[in-house]
Amino acid sequence: MGNGQDTGAGEHVVDYTMDIDEAALEERAEPVAVDRTVRLLARENRFALRAGPASWNPLGNGQGVAVDISLRCVAHRHPECRLRWVRVSVDVSGSDGTVLDLSPKDEVATDPVRVITRYGGGLSLQTEIVPLGPEVTVERAREQDVFFPRLTSSGPMFAAAWWDFLQVGEAPLHVDRTLRLLAGLPDGATQAHLHTTLRAGVSARGALGTVPLVGRRKVRLDAQGTFEDL
């Protein structure tokens, strides 16, 4: 689901067409009444991933290839909806891949911070967390990769990386963040198959409860760092 487009310089954008996660609804202990209006309203939230050019780095000594993948994730709520949570997952098992590292990878802080991520070779990313003091204006903070509380992740040594963005109290949740994934592929690999999934919980006007949404997309990444829809 979703529409992908190339933007030049190896970049690729996927806007996800989110659907109601019927399986998740059926598993609820308390059913959520989701009528046609609620379904249409829930789908009016925007979810997208923008993949920048990837970097392929042979590790040598039979350790395979490390691929540094940068994704910009956007979750923009409809004015009559409230995002409760957003989950992004990137699965590399289709290429016999393993997640070596990811960024950000923990609940970052109780205050806004800037996350700076670099790859200098090897099996991990280098991450620097810079606190933003009270002198930083709102306008300047918007120019940074600012992460607010309740971000959690998992993935190293597994075949998929997961990031969860969770709403804090009643403050609106809006996601516009760069995610970095360092994937390990076998020796000689010249392409990678990525299965990306976005999930979200939305409170929509007229629904008594959180409506689960899901969107999936498969892309192929080649050794030149460019992406193509599958």
Side-chain angles (χ1 to χ4, degrees):
M1 289 173 277
N3 296 313
Q5 60 179 353
D6 289 315
T7 60
E11 292 190 339
H12 189 77
V13 178
V14 173
D15 276 293
Y16 286 76
T17 302
M18 304 292 282
D19 286 326
I20 304 296
D21 192 341
E22 303 290 353
L25 278 179
E26 293 175 358
E27 294 174 357
R28 294 288 182 86
E30 297 180 0
V32 179
V34 183
D35 59 23
R36 182 175 182 276
T37 300
V38 170
R39 288 177 182 273
L40 293 175
L41 190 59
R43 290 171 182 162
E44 286 298 312
N45 297 275
R46 186 194 182 198
F47 298 89
L49 284 179
R50 183 187 190 97
S55 173
W56 291 62
N57 306 276
L59 296 172
N61 298 321
Q63 296 185 86
V65 180
V67 186
D68 181 14
I69 302 168
S70 177
L71 302 171
R72 190 75 180 184
C73 175
V74 171
H76 194 112
R77 69 182 181 91
H78 185 278
E80 296 189 31
C81 294
R82 184 179 293 273
L83 288 176
R84 298 298 182 181
W85 53 268
V86 176
R87 168 171 287 180
V88 182
S89 67
V90 182
D91 191 315
V92 294
S93 61
S95 303
D96 295 326
T98 302
V99 176
L100 300 177
D101 205 357
L102 69 163
S103 175
K105 56 184 174 184
D106 289 304
E107 189 164 297
V108 174
T110 57
D111 297 306
V113 296
R114 182 183 181 191
V115 179
I116 303 172
T117 304
R118 302 181 180 90
Y119 178 63
L123 302 176
S124 62
L125 299 167
Q126 289 76 53
T127 302
E128 180 183 359
I129 297 177
V130 181
L132 298 180
E135 72 279 2
V136 179
T137 65
V138 172
E139 288 74 20
R140 182 178 174 188
R142 284 175 179 163
E143 297 174 359
Q144 314 291 347
D145 285 334
V146 179
F147 288 80
F148 292 92
R150 304 303 299 277
L151 165 69
T152 58
S153 66
S154 64
M157 306 309 297
F158 289 90
W162 289 19
W163 290 269
D164 284 349
F165 298 89
L166 306 175
Q167 184 185 26
V168 178
E170 291 303 309
L173 174 61
H174 174 77
V175 180
D176 187 2
R177 303 290 180 256
T178 296
L179 309 176
R180 291 281 289 277
L181 169 65
L182 187 65
L185 300 181
D187 269 334
T190 59
Q191 61 180 22
H193 293 158
L194 310 182
H195 185 185
T196 61
T197 304
L198 265 68
R199 295 182 182 272
V202 176
S203 294
R205 178 177 54 82
L208 299 177
T210 301
V211 180
L213 306 177
V214 63
R216 297 183 175 90
R217 194 72 177 176
K218 292 184 178 181
V219 297
R220 179 171 53 237
L221 169 64
D222 65 26
Q224 285 69 48
T226 56
F227 292 82
E228 180 183 357
D229 285 330
L230 292 177

